Amino acid sequence: MANKRSLKHAINLVCTELFAEAVAASLYGNEPQKEKSHADTVLASIVRLESDYIRRISHIEPGMKPKLYFKILRERFANEVDEIVDQINCL
């Protein structure tokens, strides 16, 4: 298990890259200007994802082994990132 600081840093980097890709896709995509609400929703979900997972790192669920908790946390984060990447590809 990586330490909490490096895990937070990795989550921050991934979310920063996702945000940049979403902004680029919304600016240079084929979507008309009045339909930009979908892009705004994707950007908001990236910000929520980052803050949610950064918060979860500091507060381990009681009664759960830390190694198992962080394994599940990484798997869920990867799944949500995949969903957001699919949404960005649709922009």
Side-chain angles (χ1 to χ4, degrees):
M1 178 184 86
N3 64 16
K4 291 180 183 182
R5 183 181 304 159
S6 64
L7 191 55
K8 287 180 181 182
H9 184 69
I11 288 173
N12 188 24
L13 286 175
V14 169
C15 290
T16 301
E17 290 296 322
L18 281 175
F19 196 86
E21 288 295 322
V23 168
S26 69
L27 290 176
Y28 301 115
N30 296 329
E31 195 172 310
Q33 286 292 342
K34 57 186 169 186
E35 298 281 332
K36 292 294 183 184
S37 63
H38 181 65
D40 293 340
T41 306
V42 172
L43 293 173
S45 67
I46 294 170
V47 171
R48 266 188 259 116
L49 175 77
E50 180 181 15
S51 67
D52 182 42
Y53 278 90
I54 294 291
R55 228 179 273 134
R56 283 178 166 184
I57 290 172
S58 299
H59 304 289
I60 299 172
E61 288 185 25
M64 194 175 218
K65 293 183 180 180
K67 188 173 184 175
L68 176 64
Y69 177 75
F70 287 114
K71 179 181 177 185
I72 292 171
L73 186 79
R74 277 188 243 115
E75 289 172 358
R76 288 181 183 168
F77 180 73
N79 290 338
E80 289 189 38
V81 166
D82 289 340
E83 290 175 11
I84 291 176
V85 167
D86 291 339
Q87 291 175 359
I88 291 172
N89 288 335
C90 292
L91 289 180

